[in-house]
Amino acid sequence: MIPSPFDYVAAQSAGHAIELLADRGEDAKLLAGGHSLLPMMKLRLAAPTVLIDIGGLPELAGIVAEDGELVIGATTRHADLAASRLVRAGAPLLAHAAGQVGDPQIRHRGTIGGSLAHADPAADLPMAVLALGGSMEVTGPGGVRRIPAPEFFAGYFETSLAGDELLTAVRVPARPGQPWGYQKFTRRANDWAIVGVAAAGGQIALANMGPVPMRARAAEQALAAGAGPAEAAELAAEDTEPAEDMHADRDYRRHLARVLTRRALQHQA
Ligand SMILES: Cc1cc2nc3c(=O)[nH]c(=O)nc-3n(C[C@H](O)[C@H](O)[C@H](O)COP(=O)(O)OP(=O)(O)OC[C@H]3O[C@@H](n4cnc5c(N)ncnc54)[C@H](O)[C@@H]3O)c2cc1C
């Protein structure tokens, strides 16, 4: 449980962090809340030679409403997202999802940018951002680009971020009053989802049903064609490739996806 030796640099600004990433190459890693990266380093599943700390940069934190969207700075902590009046009004699904992450300690350190960049298919916030039709604002030496959520999640713990790019903000449409449902099946209160479902405005996203958070397209199409929640939910596991592990085999995960989708659709807030 002792990481390999590494250097530590506190970035002075987002621009400084990008310069450091370009200088130090693929041996460098950004450090935000550290609640995914540091455990991986302790297990020696990651061995960066330098950590670039962006966790304390005020310019990357905070939430504003802009042109019908909520713009959430990458280092906004889960607890701040859960408590934000703007998010609770404009994207209550996201505020709720942030409140489901781990326990209070994790929610006070972990950041939305870290969660999305880490791209754990079982995580809460990637699934929520996908269900809401969100996108990532990414900054690198070439400027700023915007990546829609389905293109951002590229594979198992993999994103389309380039090595010298920083996720600077997450954008989600503000839709006050939009019905939403959220279901997370866990064995213990602060665990990742064995399967998770987030539904909003006819879009349904699944956690832990494949290598990336994914949309339940067949169920969405059935809803759009007039099917009721129970009928549409029967299609929730179509085209999924869930992993098997000590918590659940593939068939059980598919069963959970159907049951949780029905509940998410039937019990919308
Ligand atoms: C005990 C425990 C329980 C947990 N339970 C849950 C849970 O129930 N649900 C859940 O969703 N998560 C859970 N988590 C994960 C938690 O939400 C993490 O905080 C989160 O996944 C990572 O955020 P971080 O800010 O800590 O990122 P870090 O650990 O600092 O970084 C994670 C990765 O993202 C990269 N990164 C960070 N910020 C950026 C950025 N702005 N741009 C580009 N790359 C960046 C880092 O280089 C690193 O590769 C749990 C963690 C622990 C330790």
Side-chain angles (χ1 to χ4, degrees):
M1 296 298 274
I2 296 175
S4 306
F6 59 89
D7 294 335
Y8 170 91
V9 188
Q12 301 305 308
S13 64
H16 185 216
I18 292 163
E19 276 171 29
L20 288 166
L21 277 177
D23 278 359
R24 303 297 292 257
E26 56 188 35
D27 291 338
K29 273 270 179 203
L30 295 166
L31 175 71
H35 268 53
S36 292
L37 181 56
L38 297 183
M40 289 187 65
M41 289 170 62
K42 286 182 180 175
L43 293 168
R44 304 237 174 169
L45 294 171
T49 55
V50 56
L51 292 186
I52 302 165
D53 192 350
I54 56 167
L57 292 178
E59 72 193 272
L60 287 179
I63 301 160
V64 293
E66 190 181 286
D67 301 330
E69 288 185 316
L70 298 174
V71 186
I72 302 159
T75 59
T76 303
R77 314 271 164 186
H78 308 322
D80 295 329
L81 198 55
S84 160
R85 278 205 204 142
L86 274 178
V87 181
R88 288 162 77 109
L93 163 65
L94 187 61
H96 177 80
Q100 302 303 303
V101 176
D103 57 31
Q105 183 186 346
I106 291 152
R107 295 196 288 274
H108 279 93
R109 292 300 308 167
T111 66
I112 185 169
S115 177
L116 293 164
H118 189 56
D120 183 338
D124 290 272
L125 296 178
M127 164 174 71
V129 171
L130 184 64
L132 292 167
S135 59
M136 316 314 154
E137 201 173 278
V138 166
T139 310
V144 182
R145 65 187 181 117
R146 205 158 145 170
I147 310 173
E151 292 161 33
F152 184 77
F153 301 111
Y156 192 59
F157 289 91
E158 200 185 324
T159 69
S160 49
L161 275 169
D164 56 0
E165 283 182 322
L166 174 70
L167 172 58
T168 37
V170 180
R171 289 174 172 263
V172 293
R175 298 207 172 103
Q178 183 183 60
W180 60 275
Y182 197 87
Q183 296 285 324
K184 177 179 179 181
F185 189 82
T186 57
R187 288 188 60 212
R188 298 174 309 177
N190 65 347
D191 276 347
W192 284 262
I194 293 175
V195 172
V197 177
Q203 301 200 150
I204 304 166
L206 306 172
N208 224 357
M209 288 299 292
V212 292
M214 57 200 300
R215 295 265 296 277
R217 300 274 182 195
E220 292 178 356
Q221 283 161 11
L223 276 183
E231 195 186 338
E234 281 305 305
L235 301 171
E238 299 278 305
D239 301 324
T240 58
E241 271 310 319
E244 308 210 37
D245 56 27
M246 60 190 268
H247 299 299
D249 65 18
R250 198 161 284 137
D251 285 346
Y252 184 53
R253 281 206 160 85
R254 289 191 168 128
H255 167 74
L256 282 175
R258 289 188 284 269
V259 172
L260 297 177
T261 299
R262 175 168 50 74
R263 290 181 189 163
L265 294 173
Q266 284 177 337
H267 304 292
Q268 298 202 52

